[in-house]
Amino acid sequence: MTDNAVVQAIVVFVLFITVSIVIDKALKKLACQFDSEASSSFRLMSNSQKTILIFVGAVLAFSKLGFDVTGIVTGLGLTGFALGLALKDAISNLVAGVMIVLYKPIKLGDWIEVANSRGQVVDLNLRYITIKDDGATHLIPNSLFLSDKITINNIEAN
């Protein structure tokens, strides 16, 4: 391992971190132009890109240092496939949450009925929708919201 290889590895890693920071700042600036509900999807994109770019930068830096990274990349590919299968429902809820944030079919304060639960929407996030009625709190997974029949009443029906 030469000094030149170490310098190249450091430059590659720092470059990826810098690009990650620039994209993060751009996404945060863009998020300010939207409402607070959309900012959660920008936060998700920001965190995801940071993790991916820093990881890719680290792998490329190790490659510059002479390490054989094919085993790492192959192993991570297989691990990603296994995790994807294991986390299928969680990923489904996350994707559905992003769609709900982007398309805004409901908003805080709406009265909805879904999956035999009825109540007022008190919270929306990327995993589930929280509804309250008669002292009961129901957490409805986002994927269920997009796949079941939903009744939305914008006016309280008491």
Side-chain angles (χ1 to χ4, degrees):
M1 184 172 4
T2 65
D3 288 339
N4 190 29
V6 172
V7 170
Q8 287 179 351
I10 291 171
V11 168
V12 165
F13 190 65
V14 168
L15 178 69
F16 272 84
I17 289 176
T18 304
V19 168
S20 171
I21 291 170
V22 168
I23 292 173
D24 181 52
K25 289 185 187 285
L27 285 172
K28 285 180 181 173
K29 187 175 182 178
L30 189 60
C32 292
Q33 298 174 1
F34 294 93
D35 60 5
S36 63
E37 293 175 11
S39 68
S40 60
S41 53
F42 283 104
R43 189 172 43 252
L44 172 69
M45 287 187 288
S46 174
N47 290 338
S48 299
Q49 69 84 23
K50 273 195 276 189
T51 302
I52 291 169
L53 285 178
I54 289 173
F55 175 75
V56 169
V59 169
L60 289 174
F62 281 127
S63 175
K64 289 286 186 191
L65 292 173
F67 291 100
D68 183 18
V69 295
T70 55
I72 294 172
V73 173
T74 303
L76 287 171
L78 292 172
T79 302
F81 181 72
L83 282 174
L85 288 175
L87 299 173
K88 180 182 67 124
D89 291 336
I91 293 170
S92 175
N93 285 330
L94 182 68
V95 170
V98 170
M99 291 177 66
I100 290 169
V101 167
L102 292 176
Y103 292 114
K104 301 178 187 168
I106 61 170
K107 61 184 180 305
L108 294 178
D110 283 351
W111 283 79
I112 66 171
E113 186 173 343
V114 58
N116 297 325
S117 298
R118 182 182 185 286
Q120 186 176 23
V121 177
V122 294
D123 188 31
L124 297 166
N125 63 41
L126 294 176
R127 290 181 34 214
Y128 50 81
I129 298 164
T130 306
I131 61 174
K132 279 189 177 185
D133 189 33
D134 295 331
T137 301
H138 305 276
L139 302 176
I140 311 295
N142 289 336
S143 61
L144 187 64
F145 181 81
L146 290 181
S147 64
D148 274 9
K149 177 187 170 199
I150 309 298
T151 303
I152 303 172
N153 298 315
N154 292 336
I155 302 171
E156 181 178 336
N158 280 338

Coordinates of all heavy atoms in Angstrom, one line a residue, residues 87-101 105-106 112-117 121 123-131 137-150:
L87 N -38.3 -8.0 5.3 CA -39.0 -6.7 5.7 C -40.0 -6.3 4.7 O -40.3 -5.1 4.5 CB -37.9 -5.6 5.8 CG -36.9 -5.9 6.9 CD1 -35.8 -4.8 6.8 CD2 -37.5 -5.9 8.3
K88 N -40.6 -7.3 4.0 CA -41.5 -7.0 2.9 C -42.7 -6.1 3.4 O -43.0 -5.1 2.8 CB -42.1 -8.3 2.3 CG -43.1 -8.1 1.2 CD -43.6 -9.4 0.7 CE -44.4 -10.1 1.8 NZ -45.7 -10.5 1.6
D89 N -43.3 -6.4 4.5 CA -44.4 -5.7 5.0 C -44.0 -4.3 5.5 O -44.7 -3.3 5.2 CB -45.0 -6.4 6.2 CG -45.8 -7.7 5.8 OD1 -46.1 -7.7 4.6 OD2 -45.9 -8.6 6.6
A90 N -42.8 -4.2 6.1 CA -42.3 -2.8 6.6 C -42.0 -2.0 5.4 O -42.3 -0.8 5.4 CB -41.1 -3.0 7.4
I91 N -41.4 -2.6 4.3 CA -41.1 -1.8 3.1 C -42.4 -1.4 2.4 O -42.5 -0.3 1.9 CB -40.2 -2.6 2.2 CG1 -38.8 -2.8 2.8 CG2 -40.1 -1.9 0.8 CD1 -37.9 -3.7 2.1
S92 N -43.4 -2.3 2.4 CA -44.7 -2.0 1.8 C -45.3 -0.8 2.6 O -45.9 0.1 1.9 CB -45.6 -3.2 1.9 OG -46.9 -2.9 1.5
N93 N -45.3 -0.8 3.9 CA -45.8 0.4 4.7 C -45.1 1.7 4.4 O -45.6 2.7 4.3 CB -45.8 0.1 6.1 CG -46.9 -0.9 6.6 OD1 -47.9 -1.0 6.0 ND2 -46.6 -1.7 7.6
L94 N -43.7 1.6 4.2 CA -42.9 2.7 3.9 C -43.3 3.3 2.6 O -43.5 4.5 2.5 CB -41.4 2.4 4.0 CG -40.5 3.5 3.8 CD1 -40.5 4.5 4.9 CD2 -39.1 3.0 3.7
V95 N -43.3 2.5 1.6 CA -43.7 3.0 0.2 C -45.1 3.6 0.2 O -45.3 4.6 -0.4 CB -43.5 1.8 -0.8 CG1 -44.1 2.2 -2.2 CG2 -42.1 1.4 -0.9
A96 N -46.0 2.9 0.9 CA -47.4 3.4 1.0 C -47.4 4.7 1.7 O -48.1 5.7 1.3 CB -48.3 2.4 1.7
G97 N -46.6 4.9 2.7 CA -46.5 6.1 3.5 C -46.0 7.3 2.6 O -46.5 8.4 2.7
V98 N -45.0 7.0 1.8 CA -44.5 8.0 0.9 C -45.6 8.4 -0.1 O -45.8 9.6 -0.4 CB -43.2 7.5 0.1 CG1 -42.9 8.5 -1.0 CG2 -42.1 7.3 1.1
M99 N -46.4 7.4 -0.6 CA -47.4 7.7 -1.5 C -48.5 8.6 -0.9 O -49.1 9.5 -1.5 CB -48.0 6.4 -2.1 CG -47.1 5.7 -3.0 SD -47.7 4.2 -3.6 CE -49.1 4.7 -4.6
I100 N -48.8 8.3 0.4 CA -49.8 9.0 1.1 C -49.4 10.5 1.3 O -50.1 11.4 1.2 CB -50.2 8.4 2.5 CG1 -50.9 7.1 2.2 CG2 -50.9 9.3 3.4 CD1 -51.1 6.2 3.5
V101 N -48.1 10.6 1.7 CA -47.5 12.0 1.8 C -47.5 12.8 0.5 O -47.9 13.9 0.5 CB -46.1 11.9 2.4 CG1 -45.4 13.2 2.3 CG2 -46.1 11.4 3.8
P105 N -54.3 11.9 0.2 CA -55.7 11.6 0.1 C -56.5 11.9 1.4 O -57.7 12.1 1.4 CB -55.7 10.0 -0.1 CG -54.4 9.6 0.4 CD -53.5 10.7 0.2
I106 N -55.7 12.0 2.5 CA -56.3 12.4 3.8 C -55.4 13.4 4.4 O -54.3 13.6 4.1 CB -56.5 11.2 4.7 CG1 -55.2 10.5 5.1 CG2 -57.5 10.2 4.2 CD1 -55.2 9.5 6.2
I112 N -62.1 9.1 9.2 CA -62.0 8.0 8.2 C -62.5 6.7 8.9 O -62.6 6.5 10.1 CB -60.6 7.8 7.7 CG1 -59.7 7.3 8.8 CG2 -60.1 9.1 7.0 CD1 -58.3 6.9 8.3
E113 N -62.9 5.8 8.0 CA -63.2 4.4 8.4 C -62.4 3.5 7.5 O -62.5 3.5 6.3 CB -64.7 4.2 8.2 CG -65.2 2.8 8.8 CD -66.7 2.7 8.8 OE1 -67.4 3.7 8.6 OE2 -67.1 1.5 8.9
V114 N -61.6 2.6 8.1 CA -60.8 1.7 7.4 C -60.6 0.5 8.3 O -60.4 0.6 9.5 CB -59.4 2.4 7.0 CG1 -58.7 2.9 8.2 CG2 -58.6 1.4 6.2
A115 N -60.6 -0.7 7.7 CA -60.3 -1.9 8.5 C -61.2 -2.1 9.7 O -60.6 -2.4 10.8 CB -58.9 -2.1 8.8
N116 N -62.5 -1.8 9.6 CA -63.4 -1.9 10.8 C -63.0 -0.9 11.9 O -63.4 -1.2 13.0 CB -63.5 -3.3 11.3 CG -64.1 -4.2 10.2 OD1 -64.9 -3.8 9.4 ND2 -63.6 -5.4 10.2
S117 N -62.3 0.1 11.6 CA -61.9 1.1 12.6 C -62.4 2.5 12.1 O -62.2 2.8 10.9 CB -60.4 1.2 12.9 OG -59.9 -0.1 13.4
V121 N -58.3 11.3 12.2 CA -56.9 11.2 11.9 C -56.1 12.2 12.8 O -56.4 13.4 12.7 CB -56.5 11.5 10.4 CG1 -55.0 11.4 10.2 CG2 -57.3 10.5 9.5
D123 N -52.6 11.6 13.4 CA -51.1 11.6 13.1 C -51.0 10.7 11.8 O -51.6 9.7 11.6 CB -50.3 11.0 14.2 CG -48.8 11.1 13.9 OD1 -48.4 12.1 13.2 OD2 -48.0 10.2 14.3
L124 N -50.1 11.2 10.9 CA -49.7 10.5 9.7 C -48.2 10.4 9.7 O -47.5 11.4 9.9 CB -50.1 11.3 8.5 CG -51.6 11.6 8.2 CD1 -51.8 12.6 7.2 CD2 -52.3 10.3 7.8
N125 N -47.7 9.2 9.5 CA -46.2 9.1 9.3 C -46.0 8.0 8.3 O -46.9 7.5 7.6 CB -45.5 8.8 10.6 CG -45.9 7.5 11.3 OD1 -46.0 6.5 10.6 ND2 -46.0 7.6 12.6
L126 N -44.7 7.7 8.1 CA -44.4 6.8 7.0 C -44.7 5.3 7.3 O -44.6 4.5 6.4 CB -42.9 7.0 6.6 CG -42.5 8.3 6.0 CD1 -41.0 8.4 5.8 CD2 -43.3 8.6 4.7
R127 N -45.1 5.0 8.5 CA -45.4 3.6 8.8 C -46.9 3.4 9.0 O -47.4 2.3 8.6 CB -44.6 3.2 10.1 CG -43.1 3.1 9.9 CD -42.4 2.7 11.1 NE -43.1 1.8 12.0 CZ -43.0 1.8 13.3 NH1 -42.2 2.6 13.9 NH2 -43.6 0.9 14.0
Y128 N -47.6 4.3 9.7 CA -49.0 4.0 10.0 C -49.7 5.3 10.1 O -49.1 6.4 10.3 CB -49.1 3.1 11.2 CG -48.4 3.6 12.4 CD1 -48.9 4.6 13.2 CD2 -47.2 3.0 12.7 CE1 -48.2 5.0 14.3 CE2 -46.5 3.4 13.8 CZ -47.0 4.4 14.6 OH -46.3 4.8 15.7
I129 N -51.0 5.2 10.1 CA -51.9 6.3 10.3 C -52.6 6.1 11.7 O -53.0 5.0 12.0 CB -53.0 6.4 9.3 CG1 -52.4 6.6 7.9 CG2 -54.1 7.5 9.6 CD1 -53.3 6.3 6.8
T130 N -52.6 7.1 12.5 CA -53.2 7.0 13.9 C -54.5 7.7 13.9 O -54.6 8.9 13.5 CB -52.3 7.7 14.9 OG1 -50.9 7.2 14.8 CG2 -52.8 7.5 16.3
I131 N -55.6 7.0 14.2 CA -56.9 7.5 14.3 C -57.4 7.3 15.8 O -57.1 6.3 16.4 CB -57.9 6.9 13.3 CG1 -58.1 5.4 13.5 CG2 -57.4 7.3 11.9 CD1 -59.1 4.9 12.6
T137 N -57.4 4.4 20.5 CA -56.5 4.8 19.5 C -56.2 3.6 18.6 O -55.9 2.5 19.0 CB -55.2 5.3 20.1 OG1 -55.5 6.4 21.0 CG2 -54.2 5.7 19.1
H138 N -56.3 3.8 17.2 CA -56.0 2.8 16.3 C -54.8 3.1 15.4 O -54.8 4.3 14.9 CB -57.3 2.5 15.4 CG -58.5 2.3 16.1 ND1 -58.9 1.1 16.6 CD2 -59.5 3.1 16.5 CE1 -60.0 1.1 17.2 NE2 -60.4 2.4 17.2
L139 N -53.9 2.2 15.2 CA -52.8 2.4 14.3 C -53.1 1.6 13.1 O -53.1 0.3 13.2 CB -51.5 2.0 15.0 CG -51.1 2.7 16.3 CD1 -49.9 2.1 16.9 CD2 -51.0 4.2 16.1
I140 N -53.3 2.2 12.0 CA -53.6 1.6 10.7 C -52.3 1.6 9.8 O -51.8 2.6 9.5 CB -54.7 2.3 10.0 CG1 -55.9 2.6 10.9 CG2 -55.1 1.5 8.7 CD1 -56.6 1.3 11.4
P141 N -51.8 0.4 9.5 CA -50.6 0.3 8.6 C -50.9 1.0 7.3 O -52.0 0.9 6.7 CB -50.4 -1.2 8.4 CG -51.1 -1.8 9.5 CD -52.2 -1.0 9.9
N142 N -50.0 1.8 6.8 CA -50.2 2.5 5.5 C -50.6 1.6 4.3 O -51.4 1.9 3.5 CB -49.0 3.3 5.2 CG -48.8 4.5 6.1 OD1 -49.7 5.0 6.7 ND2 -47.6 4.9 6.2
S143 N -50.0 0.4 4.3 CA -50.3 -0.5 3.2 C -51.7 -0.9 3.2 O -52.3 -1.1 2.1 CB -49.3 -1.7 3.2 OG -49.5 -2.5 4.4
L144 N -52.3 -1.1 4.4 CA -53.7 -1.4 4.5 C -54.6 -0.3 4.0 O -55.6 -0.5 3.4 CB -54.0 -1.8 5.9 CG -55.4 -2.3 6.2 CD1 -55.6 -3.6 5.5 CD2 -55.6 -2.5 7.7
F145 N -54.1 1.0 4.3 CA -54.9 2.1 3.9 C -55.0 2.2 2.3 O -56.0 2.6 1.8 CB -54.2 3.4 4.4 CG -54.9 4.7 4.0 CD1 -56.0 5.1 4.7 CD2 -54.5 5.4 2.9 CE1 -56.7 6.3 4.4 CE2 -55.1 6.6 2.6 CZ -56.2 7.0 3.3
L146 N -53.9 1.8 1.6 CA -53.9 1.9 0.2 C -54.6 0.6 -0.5 O -54.9 0.7 -1.6 CB -52.5 2.0 -0.4 CG -51.9 3.4 -0.1 CD1 -50.5 3.4 -0.7 CD2 -52.7 4.5 -0.6
S147 N -54.8 -0.4 0.3 CA -55.3 -1.6 -0.3 C -56.8 -1.9 0.1 O -57.5 -2.7 -0.6 CB -54.5 -2.8 0.0 OG -54.5 -3.1 1.4
D148 N -57.3 -1.3 1.2 CA -58.7 -1.5 1.6 C -59.6 -0.4 1.2 O -59.1 0.7 0.8 CB -58.7 -1.6 3.1 CG -58.5 -3.0 3.6 OD1 -58.1 -3.9 2.8 OD2 -58.6 -3.3 4.8
K149 N -60.9 -0.7 1.3 CA -61.9 0.4 1.0 C -61.8 1.4 2.2 O -61.8 1.0 3.4 CB -63.3 -0.2 1.0 CG -64.3 0.8 0.8 CD -65.7 0.1 0.9 CE -66.7 1.3 0.9 NZ -68.0 0.8 1.5
I150 N -61.8 2.7 1.9 CA -61.7 3.7 2.9 C -62.8 4.7 2.7 O -63.2 5.0 1.6 CB -60.4 4.6 2.6 CG1 -59.1 3.7 2.5 CG2 -60.2 5.6 3.7 CD1 -58.8 2.8 3.7

